[in-house]
Amino acid sequence: MESRFCFLNDTEDLKTLISDSEEGVQFERSKTLFEEIRASINNNDEEDRSFWRPVLPWGGVYTIRAGRKAISCTPLYVKISLKNTCTIDGFLMILYVILRDNQGFPRELAVFLGRQFVEHFLYLMDSYDYATVKILWVWDRMNKMQYRSFIHRAALEIDLFGNEHENFTKNLENMMSTMQDSLCTNWSCPARFQELILRTININPPHELPDKDPIQSAVDFFFCPRILLCKELGCNGLREFSQRVFCHGPPPFVILNMQLWKSEELSYVPYHLALSQHRYSLEGATLFNKEDHHYSAAFQIDGYWMHYDGLRSDNLILLHKPPELLLLSSLVYTRSADK
């Protein structure tokens, strides 16, 4: 059965994907999706607080047109079925809101993800072409080792079951990369000078509750200088770690991996963070239901909180009050204008 399918080059497919989508969406959009969501918040009815159309529904089906080099393939159209997309859905929703709500951020993100990707991502979201949005992320940002794909009932199936930080956070290139130098006091240390670069921000819960809020304390510890025993084999020196800094300056937004935190350690979630001499404000969060192994997301627009869950028929709902962030997978903060 595999011979019936055309195995195409991802880069070429991506160009075809974009051109096909632009040809398929001919209507003139008077408003972006973000503007429609904002308008629905301002005109909401207390009896019906859901957005009027589905946004980024779970899964998806995309039909790709085979290129000229695959003219002998049968069929000429290949159906791609997407499964377990909640590992990217919540983050894609928050990413869209961040880019539409902050005028300069698309240009900043384009430095890391490419201008074409950012422009087409926004275009596809505003066109309600959600299956293509997900395919765009899978083909352009993800490594083939990060997902499973197989042929099932005459269709290519892509299964994104797994961890959202593997499928999304780690694929933001070097946007959140940080660097920390260390120097051992022992001149005979086999690796006296070291440079540690991390691409994500993983913060650990404190062993004891600190005086100030635990999340700010954990972030401070992640960035602060420290002195520890050197772990190199046969070395008994002390290793002095410098202040951790962002490799490319403060990013437009940061994602804090909260998977190691328990609900009782999250009695307080700060709306503002001091991070590398900059002020960051809470934009959203992703939530993880362990029983169903399912991710959802919450984000705010103009101070109003919304909850997104791709499995619901009404998957975007305006909340009466800020969500209880007890099943956290991540917190997303955007850089404020003031330091």
Side-chain angles (χ1 to χ4, degrees), residues 55-274:
V55 179
L56 272 179
W58 185 93
V61 176
Y62 176 77
T63 303
I64 181 171
R65 179 166 33 180
R68 284 180 296 176
K69 69 176 184 177
I71 195 68
S72 60
C73 295
T74 305
L76 290 179
Y77 285 80
V78 179
K79 186 173 76 171
I80 301 176
S81 177
L82 296 166
K83 287 182 59 179
N84 295 311
T85 58
C86 68
T87 56
I88 63 172
D89 290 345
F91 273 132
L92 290 176
M93 189 70 235
I94 293 176
L95 177 62
Y96 173 76
V97 171
I98 288 175
L99 294 179
R100 280 290 182 230
D101 203 21
N102 298 272
Q103 188 173 7
F105 283 7
R107 184 178 66 254
E108 290 189 49
L109 188 63
V111 173
F112 302 98
L113 304 189
R115 183 173 63 87
Q116 185 183 47
F117 171 85
V118 174
E119 289 179 351
H120 288 135
F121 169 73
L122 293 173
Y123 173 86
L124 293 169
M125 286 292 290
D126 290 332
S127 304
Y128 321 123
D129 196 351
Y130 301 124
T132 310
V133 168
K134 299 178 189 188
I135 287 290
L136 175 69
W137 181 265
V138 171
W139 279 352
D140 192 70
R141 306 308 321 151
M142 294 182 68
N143 186 297
K144 290 182 179 179
M145 300 297 292
Q146 291 180 306
Y147 59 87
R148 293 175 294 171
S149 61
F150 48 91
I151 294 172
H152 178 66
R153 294 183 181 177
L156 178 65
E157 190 171 281
I158 294 178
D159 190 346
L160 299 179
F161 183 86
N163 183 289
E164 67 174 0
H165 292 286
E166 294 291 333
N167 289 352
F168 188 90
T169 313
K170 290 186 177 181
N171 295 315
L172 291 171
E173 295 299 333
N174 297 314
M175 188 191 77
M176 293 186 294
S177 290
T178 58
M179 178 178 64
Q180 188 173 42
D181 298 332
S182 69
L183 182 67
C184 182
T185 57
N186 183 359
W187 285 80
S188 301
C189 179
R192 190 166 182 244
F193 176 80
Q194 295 179 7
E195 184 180 83
L196 178 63
I197 295 178
L198 298 177
R199 293 177 62 178
T200 58
I201 301 177
N202 299 328
I203 57 174
N204 299 317
H207 298 297
E208 297 180 2
L209 287 178
D211 295 332
K212 56 182 178 179
D213 82 77
I215 294 178
Q216 180 67 70
S217 297
V219 169
D220 291 344
F221 182 78
F222 179 80
F223 281 91
C224 76
R226 69 199 73 168
I227 299 177
L228 302 172
L229 290 174
C230 184
K231 295 183 179 180
E232 292 299 319
L233 185 63
C235 182
N236 59 357
L238 294 176
R239 185 162 291 278
E240 300 176 354
F241 290 84
S242 67
Q243 176 84 26
R244 182 179 294 278
V245 296
F246 283 110
C247 296
H248 306 285
F253 64 91
V254 295
I255 298 172
L256 305 184
N257 187 334
M258 305 296 295
Q259 292 178 114
L260 298 179
W261 293 65
K262 300 176 182 177
S263 57
E264 58 266 25
E265 297 165 334
L266 293 167
S267 58
Y268 173 72
V269 173
Y271 270 65
H272 302 286
L273 275 182

